[in-house]
Amino acid sequence: MQRNLVMTVIGDDRAGLVSALANVITAHRGNWERSQMAELAGKFAGILVVTVPAEQADELIAATRALDGLLDVSVHEGARPAAAGEKPRHLAISVLGNDHPGIVHELSSALSSRGLSIDKVTTSTREAPMAGGMLFEAHLEVRLPRDIEVSSIRSDLERIAAELLVDLEIDERHDAAS
């Protein structure tokens, strides 16, 4: 039997961090399945899913403590994979506009108020060409329940985008976000 472990990692950015973590996982028969990692403000941060034989899980978790000083690792038990069936609907939402506080708050509050779950979010800022200042860009993958109409969500988000003065793109997808 396999266990799913979700690990979060953070440490001062330097060469060899991913390799050190991969060595620990491999030494305990773990399989690195999915991850998202990045350098952020001089720190290396990430989250990953590892499957490991149940009898090796506790040893793997203990071995991650040996990375202290290099990486701080938190390990959480993951859920079992969902049974095969109908693929969920998702919305891909992209936002671009002048950077200012509150953009993520407004978007996430609108989605949360409708009971929608954000599966993935990436954000960044960059210099605005010719206009000066900074641009904020966000990409969200949102899981949709079967009973919700995209048009009602779209109108909420379009109203917010107009208030925030940002460009908005929304695309409905009928497959899993990845």
Side-chain angles (χ1 to χ4, degrees), residues 94-174:
S94 296
V95 173
L96 178 65
N98 288 329
D99 185 32
H100 57 82
I103 297 172
V104 172
H105 175 260
E106 291 293 331
L107 293 171
S108 62
S109 293
L111 296 169
S112 176
S113 72
R114 293 195 168 264
L116 302 179
S117 180
I118 298 172
D119 285 349
K120 183 177 179 181
V121 60
T122 57
T123 64
S124 63
T125 56
R126 57 186 158 108
E127 289 191 36
M130 297 189 282
M134 298 296 286
L135 290 176
F136 176 81
E137 187 169 11
H139 301 281
L140 297 92
E141 295 285 337
V142 178
R143 191 174 335 125
L144 294 175
R146 287 279 151 225
D147 60 342
I148 196 158
E149 290 296 322
V150 174
S151 59
S152 63
I153 298 164
R154 182 181 299 275
S155 63
D156 285 353
L157 294 175
E158 287 173 346
R159 178 188 48 76
I160 291 168
E163 291 171 5
L164 295 173
L165 301 172
V166 297
D167 293 331
L168 173 73
E169 290 183 26
I170 301 173
D171 181 38
E172 184 176 2
R173 298 180 181 170
H174 292 277

Side-chain angles (χ1 to χ4, degrees), residues 35-112:
S35 64
Q36 293 184 14
M37 299 181 168
E39 181 277 330
L40 300 166
K43 297 289 185 182
F44 177 78
I47 187 165
L48 65 149
V49 175
V50 173
T51 55
V52 62
E55 65 275 6
Q56 290 286 309
D58 291 336
E59 289 179 31
L60 171 58
I61 293 167
T64 63
R65 292 185 188 96
L67 296 172
D68 279 351
L70 188 62
L71 282 172
D72 293 327
V73 181
S74 294
V75 182
H76 305 272
E77 192 74 33
R80 294 180 190 259
E86 191 173 328
K87 295 191 180 230
R89 297 184 309 156
H90 284 84
L91 282 184
I93 302 168
S94 296
V95 173
L96 178 65
N98 288 329
D99 185 32
H100 57 82
I103 297 172
V104 172
H105 175 260
E106 291 293 331
L107 293 171
S108 62
S109 293
L111 296 169
S112 176

